[in-house]
Amino acid sequence: MAARAGIVVTGTEVLTGRVADRNGPWLAEALRARGVDVGSVVVVGDRPEDLRAALGFLAGAGTDLVITTGGLGPTADDLTAALVGDFQGRPSALDPALEQRIAEAVARLSARRGWRMDPASTAAGVAKQAQVPAGATVLEPVGTAPGLVVPVADGRTGPPVLVLPGPPSELQGMWPAALAAEPVRRALAGATELRQSTLRLWGTPESELAAALRRVEDQLIGLEVTTCLRDGELEIVTRYGPDAEPAQQRLVQAVTADFGDTLFSDGPTVDELVAAALDERGWTVGIGESCTGGLLTARFTAPPGSSRRVLGGVAAYADDAKTQLLDVPAGMLAAAGAVSPEVAAALAEGARRRFGADVGVGVTGIAGPGGGTAEKPVGTVHLAAAGPDGAAARSLTLLGSREAVRQRTTTLALHLLRQLLLGGPAA
Amino acid sequence: MAARAGIVVTGTEVLTGRVADRNGPWLAEALRARGVDVGSVVVVGDRPEDLRAALGFLAGAGTDLVITTGGLGPTADDLTAALVGDFQGRPSALDPALEQRIAEAVARLSARRGWRMDPASTAAGVAKQAQVPAGATVLEPVGTAPGLVVPVADGRTGPPVLVLPGPPSELQGMWPAALAAEPVRRALAGATELRQSTLRLWGTPESELAAALRRVEDQLIGLEVTTCLRDGELEIVTRYGPDAEPAQQRLVQAVTADFGDTLFSDGPTVDELVAAALDERGWTVGIGESCTGGLLTARFTAPPGSSRRVLGGVAAYADDAKTQLLDVPAGMLAAAGAVSPEVAAALAEGARRRFGADVGVGVTGIAGPGGGTAEKPVGTVHLAAAGPDGAAARSLTLLGSREAVRQRTTTLALHLLRQLLLGGPAA
């Protein structure tokens, strides 16, 4: 039986979506890699009764470890540490040595940021952050907030609660120390290796895959299979213990046999495949984009080290920008319109030449919600890619919101480039 | 007493972060606007026991309505509808008329996407999606999956469960019909108006604000106050019933009195303020960015109608791109380096001139994780903005990951532009 953990993410700003949670997924993945199963992530606001209810829910169900994130700041709505102490039956008290270390960290940080701090309010915040439940293990602050491991009070039963800060960089920086803490090690001692494998298809409907999996389901015992369709990519993720490795091999064979023409990856994302294909040839890329307005270039430049292969991109929203920065002929814009296969090809060629890149990518379309016509409805997109050995193009009409059209167009552009560089399923 | 709802978001892909959940926050906000309080959002994978536990948790705690999202597709891991039926004591059966309507929707969609569908597997998927718990209300599909309102079985007590599809556009499209369904209307009948107000500060540390709020806390009875620091912006969100309007006014007065020099908004985001300021003057903007690699232009072009004010942007990663597309002098690059205040100003001026825009914005820096030196460490950024009436600039060193530096730099650029156009707190 694998070890099980439950996660509570706190913060009204997360509950209401003003801030997207990155800690729940990060922790779930970090735990999975160690063979620890996460059944659920509970997001609660900054209300004590909701946090208490979530702790009660997660501590109940055969869980070996409960993890909280957030609510460790200096303000009154940051109530996690004290509340977890109460929940575990361990009242909190000031740790003077910790108070001193936090005060020093705050002083360093405010000096760096150039903040003028009021000494009294700073001291009040520091004293709040230095409250430690009796018998808890302190995890040294990465920013200014310490983490805690709070075991249940003597004589009671229940999992320990690991209390981590909300800023992802602080949480991730504290993670090795959290894993090394004795109560956490003991809680996760039962964990066994859990493997994960991903297959990616491009252009297969989810129902086709479902039917194929149903035909072989009695050969897949021991696999937890999840399928997910996103931006036209169909992802098959399996999780399994070492014993189920033969079943995993049978799954891969079955998918390859039935969907070899749309299977494009046994792991890497399309972004990673394209980057590797460019790097292998020592090629560079330049982007000319209209409807995606910078989003495609931002996706190309997201990975560390991308300056090795990305020379740049022009987001040419205005027609003048298309002609003057990317040499799209004004006559072509007048005759075919800015949203046309001709202009997509001209944007790719223009980006290739102006950046002096080996490969150019061009995208034009109507992201909406306005700007559509009967002939060119919202969601119309034209894509083109041009390289030393040839070119590729695709035109289609997408459904969905402005955000969805912009996002999906970047995925289509990456698949077009994948097809040009590596072959495989047509974009 | 306000009505209370609980939300379950299903999907292993959400739990593990391969897909970011947008439904939980959207529903929490849509419910809040109607005076319905959401205490927690539970994210579970595609395992029946985890979904059942989450339903048990949320249905227990004085909740008036439980909402599920996702798990309504045609594949075997889409198990929400049947499981909710069982949970409510209402076994499912095929609804032949619904089956027919779904089959038609699937046929339309596959024709549009050009998918070759295997008839048998399609029919199996459709039949699965047309299973309806006895006594449930069907909400017509927006995509191919119907929603459901499943009341608890006769003779038992518990809240109804509203079952909604996972794709955000389908969920949002189905929302009006869900609110109009009789069991949902009855469940939320007790809801009273809940107001929300946001104040935004730029450059005030969270602990200063906490101290100020503590001094007036006895005047703020009836307000639920949340503060959140993000990318240097400090957001103060209050939620309150109509009775607490005077307390809200006292909060606004107190914040204005103590932090008038950093208060930049009583609602709109910095993106909205900048867009409105440009539109009011009829001005256009062009962007020249290096370390943000397209992300700043993508942020400017995200809102509908942004082509009215955004002419375009150049993401000039390579030095040659800076000189050839944005006229940054090669001598300046050699003398001051690509990451320098001079080059930021030249990028802003170059973007302004090359796009023929009223305002130019320039950004250069080191996003990391590589590329830093002792003199110019990772996180060094230089920003500049130039308009018809003057220019503004800022240089600083940011902490955090590549993603954090890129993201925060776009926020800094927007505040620089806000300061140039509207005055207020210095960027």
Side-chain angles (χ1 to χ4, degrees), chain A residues 227-291:
Chain A
T227 63
C228 172
L229 180 67
R230 181 178 25 162
D231 288 346
E233 286 181 4
L234 185 54
E235 232 176 38
I236 313 167
V237 178
T238 48
R239 297 155 173 253
Y240 53 99
D243 294 354
E245 187 64 52
Q248 170 63 19
Q249 294 311 318
R250 286 191 292 273
L251 174 86
V252 173
Q253 283 160 21
V255 171
T256 307
D258 287 8
F259 305 107
D261 57 332
T262 64
L263 179 67
F264 72 89
S265 169
D266 59 0
T269 61
V270 66
D271 307 64
E272 290 163 346
L273 290 172
V274 165
L278 289 168
D279 290 352
E280 198 174 292
R281 294 164 170 82
W283 282 2
T284 55
V285 63
I287 298 108
E289 52 183 324
S290 180
C291 62

XYZ file of all heavy atoms in Angstrom, chain A residues 227-291:
485
model
N -6.765 9.947 -19.688
C -6.602 10.587 -20.990
C -7.104 12.012 -20.899
O -8.024 12.314 -20.142
C -7.388 9.843 -22.091
O -8.787 9.917 -21.776
C -6.981 8.387 -22.161
N -6.483 12.878 -21.641
C -6.827 14.298 -21.557
C -6.625 14.945 -22.911
O -5.553 14.846 -23.502
C -5.921 14.952 -20.518
S -6.068 16.729 -20.465
N -7.665 15.578 -23.431
C -7.604 16.269 -24.723
C -7.425 17.755 -24.465
O -8.200 18.358 -23.726
C -8.909 16.038 -25.494
C -9.003 16.688 -26.872
C -8.027 16.060 -27.844
C -10.419 16.583 -27.411
N -6.379 18.321 -25.068
C -6.121 19.741 -24.836
C -5.520 20.351 -26.078
O -4.491 19.900 -26.546
C -5.161 19.890 -23.658
C -4.852 21.316 -23.327
C -3.943 21.432 -22.139
N -3.131 20.244 -21.938
C -2.023 20.224 -21.194
N -1.658 21.306 -20.576
N -1.321 19.128 -21.044
N -6.137 21.386 -26.602
C -5.638 22.077 -27.787
C -5.376 21.103 -28.925
O -4.433 21.285 -29.697
C -4.338 22.837 -27.454
C -4.594 24.061 -26.577
O -5.758 24.461 -26.452
O -3.625 24.595 -26.034
N -6.189 20.054 -29.020
C -6.033 19.104 -30.110
C -5.061 17.969 -29.813
O -5.001 16.999 -30.551
N -4.300 18.091 -28.728
C -3.399 17.005 -28.331
C -4.123 16.076 -27.374
O -4.781 16.515 -26.445
C -2.170 17.554 -27.604
C -1.176 18.234 -28.502
C 0.039 18.751 -27.713
O 0.119 18.509 -26.494
O 0.892 19.404 -28.328
N -3.985 14.781 -27.603
C -4.585 13.791 -26.707
C -3.457 13.131 -25.931
O -2.587 12.478 -26.499
C -5.361 12.764 -27.531
C -6.154 11.716 -26.775
C -7.113 12.336 -25.773
C -6.940 10.844 -27.757
N -3.483 13.354 -24.610
C -2.421 12.866 -23.733
C -2.898 11.607 -23.025
O -4.010 11.587 -22.504
C -2.188 13.936 -22.662
C -0.800 14.397 -22.463
C -0.771 15.532 -21.434
O -1.545 15.480 -20.447
O 0.002 16.456 -21.626
N -2.090 10.569 -22.998
C -2.414 9.357 -22.242
C -1.356 9.234 -21.149
O -0.180 8.980 -21.450
C -2.343 8.092 -23.121
C -3.085 8.320 -24.440
C -2.870 6.879 -22.373
C -2.782 7.251 -25.472
N -1.759 9.422 -19.904
C -0.811 9.321 -18.805
C -1.128 8.063 -18.009
O -2.279 7.837 -17.631
C -0.893 10.554 -17.878
C 0.064 10.410 -16.695
C -0.570 11.813 -18.664
N -0.125 7.226 -17.775
C -0.327 6.045 -16.933
C 0.587 6.134 -15.730
O 1.717 6.609 -15.817
C -0.019 4.744 -17.700
O 1.236 4.888 -18.360
C -1.075 4.445 -18.739
N 0.045 5.666 -14.587
C 0.828 5.555 -13.357
C 0.751 4.117 -12.923
O -0.323 3.521 -12.974
C 0.226 6.431 -12.263
C 0.264 7.872 -12.606
C -0.813 8.641 -11.870
N -0.583 10.032 -12.148
C -0.103 10.897 -11.269
N 0.083 10.548 -10.022
N 0.141 12.124 -11.619
N 1.869 3.592 -12.433
C 1.880 2.178 -12.114
C 3.078 1.853 -11.242
O 4.110 2.529 -11.286
C 1.941 1.346 -13.407
C 3.069 1.730 -14.340
C 4.252 0.994 -14.373
C 2.955 2.839 -15.169
C 5.290 1.355 -15.219
C 3.986 3.200 -16.007
C 5.152 2.469 -16.029
O 6.182 2.843 -16.854
N 2.935 0.818 -10.443
C 4.045 0.306 -9.651
C 4.946 -0.527 -10.547
O 4.569 -0.903 -11.664
N 6.176 -0.835 -10.068
C 7.133 -1.611 -10.873
C 6.553 -2.941 -11.367
O 6.864 -3.365 -12.481
C 8.284 -1.845 -9.895
C 8.194 -0.731 -8.902
C 6.745 -0.403 -8.775
N 5.656 -3.566 -10.597
C 5.065 -4.853 -11.002
C 4.277 -4.762 -12.303
O 4.108 -5.749 -13.013
C 4.075 -5.351 -9.932
C 4.790 -5.693 -8.648
O 6.044 -5.654 -8.638
O 4.099 -5.988 -7.652
N 3.739 -3.581 -12.578
C 2.858 -3.434 -13.732
C 3.603 -2.993 -14.987
O 2.985 -2.628 -15.985
C 1.730 -2.460 -13.408
N 4.925 -3.052 -14.971
C 5.709 -2.646 -16.144
C 5.305 -3.443 -17.403
O 5.145 -2.848 -18.481
C 7.212 -2.803 -15.853
C 8.142 -2.266 -16.935
C 8.036 -0.763 -17.146
O 8.145 -0.005 -16.174
O 7.814 -0.343 -18.313
N 5.097 -4.776 -17.309
C 4.648 -5.501 -18.514
C 3.307 -4.995 -19.050
O 3.121 -4.883 -20.269
C 4.541 -6.952 -18.028
C 5.446 -7.042 -16.839
C 5.382 -5.702 -16.183
N 2.381 -4.663 -18.148
C 1.094 -4.115 -18.596
C 1.315 -2.796 -19.327
O 0.681 -2.505 -20.351
C 0.154 -3.929 -17.399
N 2.238 -1.971 -18.808
C 2.550 -0.698 -19.456
C 3.087 -0.932 -20.875
O 2.719 -0.238 -21.819
C 3.557 0.079 -18.597
C 4.165 1.310 -19.256
C 3.130 2.374 -19.589
O 2.028 2.376 -19.031
N 3.449 3.272 -20.499
N 3.954 -1.941 -21.019
C 4.491 -2.249 -22.347
C 3.363 -2.664 -23.305
O 3.366 -2.308 -24.475
C 5.557 -3.345 -22.266
C 6.819 -2.905 -21.510
C 7.353 -1.566 -21.993
O 7.396 -1.310 -23.197
N 7.690 -0.674 -21.068
N 2.387 -3.439 -22.768
C 1.254 -3.846 -23.618
C 0.427 -2.633 -24.046
O -0.048 -2.546 -25.174
C 0.376 -4.865 -22.871
C 1.023 -6.251 -22.771
C 0.032 -7.307 -22.276
N -0.371 -7.123 -20.895
C 0.298 -7.609 -19.829
N 1.411 -8.317 -19.996
N -0.152 -7.405 -18.616
N 0.277 -1.667 -23.123
C -0.458 -0.445 -23.479
C 0.246 0.292 -24.611
O -0.379 0.718 -25.595
C -0.585 0.474 -22.249
C -1.214 1.832 -22.566
C -2.726 1.754 -22.510
C -0.719 2.925 -21.644
N 1.571 0.441 -24.478
C 2.332 1.159 -25.501
C 2.183 0.447 -26.849
O 1.969 1.084 -27.884
C 3.822 1.271 -25.092
C 4.649 1.864 -26.240
C 3.970 2.124 -23.838
N 2.265 -0.914 -26.826
C 2.111 -1.663 -28.081
C 0.728 -1.458 -28.693
O 0.591 -1.261 -29.895
C 2.333 -3.163 -27.830
C 3.809 -3.532 -27.675
C 3.980 -4.869 -26.972
O 3.047 -5.677 -26.944
N 5.162 -5.091 -26.413
N -0.297 -1.502 -27.841
C -1.663 -1.360 -28.351
C -1.875 0.024 -28.963
O -2.454 0.167 -30.042
C -2.667 -1.612 -27.226
N -1.377 1.054 -28.279
C -1.552 2.414 -28.793
C -0.749 2.597 -30.082
O -1.233 3.187 -31.054
C -1.146 3.454 -27.725
C -1.103 4.858 -28.331
C -2.113 3.419 -26.544
N 0.447 2.057 -30.108
C 1.280 2.186 -31.306
C 0.631 1.465 -32.494
O 0.627 1.974 -33.621
C 2.681 1.611 -31.045
O 3.222 2.218 -29.869
C 3.614 1.878 -32.221
N 0.066 0.289 -32.225
C -0.562 -0.472 -33.307
C -1.768 0.263 -33.875
O -1.949 0.359 -35.089
C -0.981 -1.855 -32.791
N -2.602 0.800 -32.991
C -3.845 1.432 -33.454
C -3.668 2.873 -33.895
O -4.436 3.376 -34.714
C -4.893 1.397 -32.335
C -5.464 0.007 -32.125
O -4.926 -0.937 -32.743
O -6.431 -0.132 -31.363
N -2.725 3.590 -33.306
C -2.629 5.041 -33.541
C -1.217 5.479 -33.911
O -0.818 6.605 -33.633
C -3.107 5.799 -32.301
C -4.481 5.416 -31.848
C -4.658 4.652 -30.705
C -5.596 5.770 -32.599
C -5.932 4.272 -30.297
C -6.861 5.393 -32.208
C -7.041 4.641 -31.049
N -0.471 4.567 -34.550
C 0.897 4.908 -34.933
C 0.982 6.155 -35.802
O 1.963 6.897 -35.753
N -0.095 6.417 -36.554
C -0.041 7.575 -37.452
C -0.293 8.900 -36.738
O -0.034 9.961 -37.295
C -1.045 7.397 -38.603
C -2.457 7.184 -38.086
O -2.613 6.661 -36.955
O -3.414 7.542 -38.802
N -0.810 8.849 -35.506
C -1.002 10.121 -34.781
C -0.138 10.212 -33.529
O -0.082 11.265 -32.897
C -2.476 10.322 -34.367
O -2.842 9.291 -33.427
C -3.414 10.269 -35.564
N 0.533 9.126 -33.170
C 1.414 9.137 -31.990
C 2.652 9.969 -32.322
O 3.410 9.604 -33.213
C 1.811 7.686 -31.666
C 2.756 7.455 -30.485
C 2.090 7.820 -29.169
C 3.202 5.988 -30.451
N 2.843 11.070 -31.611
C 4.021 11.878 -31.942
C 5.057 11.907 -30.834
O 6.156 12.419 -31.018
C 3.636 13.298 -32.370
C 3.144 14.183 -31.243
C 4.039 14.950 -30.506
C 1.801 14.247 -30.929
C 3.589 15.775 -29.470
C 1.350 15.071 -29.894
C 2.250 15.824 -29.157
N 4.711 11.385 -29.644
C 5.693 11.464 -28.562
C 5.427 10.398 -27.511
O 4.281 10.107 -27.178
C 5.642 12.846 -27.901
O 6.388 12.858 -26.707
N 6.517 9.822 -26.972
C 6.376 8.931 -25.829
C 6.848 9.625 -24.557
O 7.334 8.989 -23.634
C 7.144 7.626 -26.058
C 8.628 7.894 -26.293
O 9.037 9.080 -26.276
O 9.377 6.929 -26.483
N 6.722 10.930 -24.522
C 7.111 11.645 -23.318
C 7.195 13.151 -23.538
O 6.355 13.902 -23.068
N 8.203 13.594 -24.313
C 8.432 15.036 -24.447
C 7.212 15.783 -25.005
O 6.443 15.223 -25.793
C 9.596 15.127 -25.436
C 10.209 13.779 -25.485
C 9.156 12.801 -25.097
N 7.074 17.030 -24.626
C 6.038 17.886 -25.198
C 6.439 18.286 -26.608
O 7.600 18.153 -27.008
C 5.866 19.168 -24.373
O 7.118 19.872 -24.403
C 5.509 18.858 -22.929
N 5.491 18.820 -27.355
C 5.807 19.272 -28.712
C 6.830 20.406 -28.659
O 7.697 20.514 -29.525
C 4.521 19.667 -29.483
C 3.846 20.892 -28.879
C 4.826 19.903 -30.954
N 6.768 21.233 -27.609
C 7.762 22.305 -27.452
C 9.160 21.707 -27.318
O 10.118 22.205 -27.931
C 7.464 23.129 -26.188
C 6.047 23.645 -26.146
O 5.109 22.824 -26.093
O 5.867 24.871 -26.147
N 9.269 20.667 -26.512
C 10.580 20.050 -26.299
C 11.087 19.361 -27.567
O 12.282 19.418 -27.887
C 10.504 19.052 -25.129
C 10.316 19.740 -23.782
C 9.831 18.815 -22.665
O 9.369 17.691 -22.961
O 9.896 19.236 -21.492
N 10.173 18.711 -28.297
C 10.577 18.044 -29.536
C 11.103 19.041 -30.561
O 12.123 18.811 -31.214
C 9.385 17.273 -30.126
C 8.939 16.023 -29.360
C 7.634 15.487 -29.937
C 10.020 14.947 -29.404
N 10.385 20.153 -30.713
C 10.790 21.168 -31.687
C 12.121 21.789 -31.283
O 13.035 21.953 -32.107
C 9.693 22.245 -31.841
C 10.222 23.476 -32.557
C 8.498 21.662 -32.589
N 12.273 22.107 -30.001
C 13.529 22.707 -29.526
C 14.695 21.756 -29.779
O 15.755 22.169 -30.270
C 13.421 23.051 -28.038
N 14.493 20.473 -29.472
C 15.571 19.503 -29.658
C 15.910 19.342 -31.138
O 17.085 19.231 -31.513
C 15.178 18.155 -29.047
N 14.884 19.339 -31.997
C 15.133 19.181 -33.430
C 15.907 20.373 -33.981
O 16.803 20.220 -34.824
C 13.806 19.020 -34.178
N 15.583 21.578 -33.519
C 16.326 22.761 -33.960
C 17.764 22.690 -33.456
O 18.717 22.917 -34.212
C 15.647 24.036 -33.437
C 14.302 24.411 -34.083
C 13.617 25.511 -33.280
C 14.492 24.859 -35.535
N 17.918 22.358 -32.169
C 19.262 22.358 -31.573
C 20.155 21.306 -32.229
O 21.355 21.526 -32.418
C 19.170 22.106 -30.060
C 18.571 23.294 -29.324
O 18.369 24.348 -29.967
O 18.297 23.174 -28.112
N 19.565 20.174 -32.565
C 20.351 19.109 -33.168
C 20.979 19.558 -34.489
O 22.109 19.208 -34.806
C 19.426 17.920 -33.407
C 20.142 16.609 -33.616
C 19.127 15.488 -33.697
O 18.484 15.194 -32.656
O 18.956 14.939 -34.789
N 20.208 20.351 -35.262
C 20.728 20.866 -36.523
C 21.510 22.167 -36.340
O 22.055 22.695 -37.302
C 19.566 21.152 -37.482
C 18.777 19.933 -37.946
C 17.455 20.403 -38.536
N 16.719 19.355 -39.215
C 15.940 18.464 -38.612
N 15.821 18.472 -37.283
N 15.273 17.559 -39.303
N 21.484 22.716 -35.119
C 22.098 24.034 -34.913
C 21.330 25.143 -35.603
O 21.899 26.157 -36.001
N 20.020 24.976 -35.748
C 19.212 25.955 -36.463
C 18.594 26.983 -35.515
O 18.329 26.709 -34.354
C 18.073 25.247 -37.216
C 18.539 24.584 -38.483
C 19.818 24.533 -38.975
C 17.709 23.858 -39.402
N 19.839 23.822 -40.143
C 18.571 23.398 -40.436
C 16.357 23.564 -39.464
C 18.094 22.654 -41.515
C 15.883 22.822 -40.539
C 16.747 22.376 -41.547
N 18.318 28.157 -36.086
C 17.655 29.219 -35.340
C 16.266 29.464 -35.922
O 15.962 29.049 -37.038
C 18.453 30.527 -35.424
O 18.645 30.842 -36.802
C 19.811 30.381 -34.735
N 15.432 30.163 -35.148
C 14.064 30.408 -35.584
C 13.684 31.879 -35.355
O 14.167 32.511 -34.407
C 13.081 29.446 -34.850
C 13.083 29.697 -33.345
C 11.662 29.541 -35.398
N 12.872 32.397 -36.268
C 12.300 33.731 -36.116
C 10.802 33.630 -36.332
O 10.344 32.803 -37.130
N 10.045 34.455 -35.613
C 8.587 34.320 -35.626
C 7.946 35.612 -36.139
O 8.343 36.708 -35.745
C 8.058 34.009 -34.201
C 8.632 32.676 -33.708
C 6.536 33.958 -34.167
C 9.670 32.801 -32.629
N 6.939 35.465 -37.005
C 6.131 36.608 -37.439
C 4.685 36.297 -37.128
O 4.087 35.429 -37.759
N 4.115 36.967 -36.133
C 2.779 36.575 -35.680
C 1.845 37.774 -35.654
O 2.247 38.889 -35.377
C 2.833 35.922 -34.297
C 3.565 36.718 -33.233
C 3.645 35.982 -31.880
O 2.684 35.282 -31.517
O 4.671 36.135 -31.196
N 0.576 37.496 -35.936
C -0.403 38.579 -35.864
C -1.434 38.290 -34.764
O -1.357 38.852 -33.681
C -1.074 38.774 -37.219
O -2.010 39.820 -37.132
N -2.356 37.356 -34.987
C -3.463 37.170 -34.036
C -3.003 36.685 -32.670
O -3.691 36.904 -31.671
C -4.503 36.208 -34.599
S -3.864 34.548 -34.906
